[in-house]
Amino acid sequence: MTNRTLTVRELGRATLARQHLLRRSDLSTAAMLEHLIGLQAQAPEPPYFALWTRIRGFTPDRLSDLIASREVVRIALMRGTVFAVTAPDALALRSWMQPLLTRALRTDTQHAAGLAGIDHRALSDFAAELVRHEPRTGQELGRLLAERFPGYEPGALAYAVRGLLPLVQVPPRGLWGRSGLPRLALLDHWVGRGGESLPPLAPEPVALVRRYLAAFGPASARDAQAWSGLTGLGEIFDALRPDLTVFRDENGVELFDLPDAPRPDPATPAPVRILAQYDNVLLSHADRTRLVSDADRRRLVTKNGIVHAAVLVGGTVAGSVRRTTTRRSAVLEVTPWRRLTNANRSAIEAEGMRLLKFSAPGADDREVRILPEAH
């Protein structure tokens, strides 16, 4: 045990190392997803870009094939958000997150009032039968549920079912280059073999907290709660305390870490990296200043919850990124939030061009534009 103070830069380098953002990894796609405990995936494309920036030589078919073969699924998990995770992680994590998802039915400002008084068990049992053998869109579910539960809004009923049942978004949703409305199926049926249901795995909170530290540490209990959306994790950290190394940040907050986890020298160079839209590394701590300043965080996340793609320069967020693609051209626009050196600009242009070759291999023209500094 130690109470040594870790600087913001030390915390940043440690997290970048664990996220494979200091150097790209040779891990398989499934192994990377397991290490990161999934990738935020409310939009289909971001997980592909998040994996590209972490895995050497990543190609889109590596994830698409896993989704098509049902080894990876898209399901609401941490913070009530859709994540792309391996099937075993989905079976384990969903039951751990269920209290969060159930609580949202009472607190959601849009739907909670419209769901007052409904029988959750009757609703979930009926909905389970509706999707057991045929994946359905949310609109279809809402319409059929409203016939069975008159007086309730179809949209509210569909929202409730997504919280009550472990529903996955089935392909072609989530496949690279494909589109379509999310169609929902029961997790255990979708990943079962021969149509047989698989039971949910018993969650092991202690093991999951250790995995969180391996991917996002050093971190506080509040950080883990921000990552998961759950409360009361302090008790788990206290139980783990004898097996963990304890630090403090520059504000005196207690941080926990696995003793053998990488904590690089703060002078370790951090290459330019382009983070995907909704990249989970920017959303998984209560205090995010290790990678993005408080002022820049407000620019990164819009009022309606959209998280922009971002560029890391020197280990911290230095601006936002926007990609536009047509049939013949691909453009990457970078809006810097601080002054860039000529070396920074050259590195951004090189990394941006690599990203465009990955995302638009058939484009005739590719261009990286660094726009004037935003104030």
Side-chain angles (χ1 to χ4, degrees):
M1 177 179 287
T2 177
N3 281 313
R4 182 169 74 85
T5 296
L6 295 178
T7 66
V8 170
R9 188 181 177 95
E10 286 178 297
L11 290 172
R13 290 299 189 271
T15 302
L16 291 173
R18 296 170 206 203
Q19 289 282 315
H20 297 281
L21 292 169
L22 288 181
R23 57 184 60 86
R24 284 182 166 90
S25 169
D26 291 319
L27 284 175
S28 69
T29 300
M32 181 64 78
L33 284 172
E34 288 183 346
H35 170 68
L36 298 174
I37 324 178
L39 288 167
Q40 200 158 319
Q42 61 263 62
E45 286 190 343
Y48 291 88
F49 289 96
L51 290 166
W52 171 83
T53 206
R54 289 168 169 87
I55 297 177
R56 187 177 295 107
F58 175 78
T59 55
D61 59 286
R62 296 188 187 183
L63 179 56
S64 280
D65 289 349
L66 291 174
I67 294 173
S69 64
R70 310 188 185 192
E71 296 171 74
V72 166
V73 297
R74 296 162 49 83
I75 184 171
L77 291 172
M78 284 72 75
R79 306 186 297 276
T81 299
V82 175
F83 272 74
V85 296
T86 63
D89 269 354
L91 289 164
L93 286 164
R94 177 60 191 228
S95 56
W96 196 42
M97 297 296 160
Q98 190 56 53
L100 162 73
L101 297 162
T102 302
R103 185 172 66 248
L105 302 186
R106 301 190 303 272
T107 59
D108 180 80
T109 56
Q110 182 178 358
H111 297 301
L115 293 170
I118 198 165
D119 185 327
H120 286 180
R121 175 61 65 86
L123 177 62
S124 59
D125 286 349
F126 185 71
E129 288 303 314
L130 290 177
V131 298
R132 192 172 301 278
H133 301 295
E134 179 184 355
R136 299 182 185 271
T137 67
Q139 185 176 18
E140 290 171 345
L141 265 179
R143 176 177 54 80
L144 294 169
L145 290 168
E147 294 174 0
R148 174 64 176 79
F149 298 91
Y152 291 95
E153 288 292 328
L157 293 171
Y159 171 81
V161 166
R162 285 192 289 266
L164 293 169
L165 291 176
L167 298 174
V168 299
Q169 297 182 1
V170 305
R173 185 72 172 180
L175 299 181
W176 182 259
R178 302 286 295 277
S179 62
L181 292 172
R183 302 188 71 85
L184 305 170
L186 287 168
L187 167 65
D188 59 342
H189 280 242
W190 183 253
V191 301
R193 297 294 179 261
E196 297 180 359
S197 298
L198 292 179
L201 300 178
E204 299 180 8
V206 168
L208 291 171
V209 165
R210 293 180 66 89
R211 288 180 62 188
Y212 167 74
L213 291 175
F216 297 95
S220 67
R222 286 187 66 243
D223 288 329
Q225 289 174 175
W227 162 73
S228 64
L230 297 172
T231 59
L233 299 187
E235 295 179 1
I236 299 175
F237 278 84
D238 283 339
L240 280 169
R241 184 182 294 270
D243 300 322
L244 300 178
T245 303
V246 183
F247 300 96
R248 292 193 180 276
D249 68 14
E250 292 176 307
N251 295 316
V253 175
E254 195 172 49
L255 303 175
F256 298 86
D257 204 9
L258 304 176
D260 57 351
R263 289 182 289 274
D265 187 298
T268 302
V272 164
R273 290 288 184 258
I274 298 173
L275 298 181
Q277 192 179 23
Y278 304 106
D279 198 299
N280 206 30
V281 72
L282 298 178
L283 304 171
S284 297
H285 299 87
D287 181 353
R288 304 173 191 176
T289 54
R290 66 184 67 193
L291 294 180
V292 58
S293 70
D294 288 335
D296 287 343
R297 177 168 57 85
R298 288 188 285 270
R299 295 201 275 190
L300 190 66
V301 183
T302 68
K303 292 181 179 179
N304 58 353
I306 294 174
V307 183
H308 295 298
V311 60
L312 293 175
V313 177
T316 59
V317 173
S320 61
V321 175
R322 187 168 71 95
R323 181 178 54 87
T324 56
T325 304
T326 66
R327 183 173 298 179
R328 302 188 61 180
S329 66
V331 176
L332 193 77
E333 291 185 341
V334 178
T335 302
W337 297 337
R338 62 176 186 250
R339 187 178 300 278
L340 299 174
T341 67
N342 289 336
N344 293 156
R345 289 175 171 271
S346 295
I348 291 172
E349 290 169 352
E351 184 73 352
M353 190 58 68
R354 285 189 286 268
L355 183 146
L356 292 178
K357 289 179 180 178
F358 160 78
S359 62
D364 295 328
D365 299 304
R366 304 185 189 93
E367 182 183 2
V368 177
R369 300 173 185 163
I370 301 180
L371 304 181
E373 180 182 350
H375 296 286

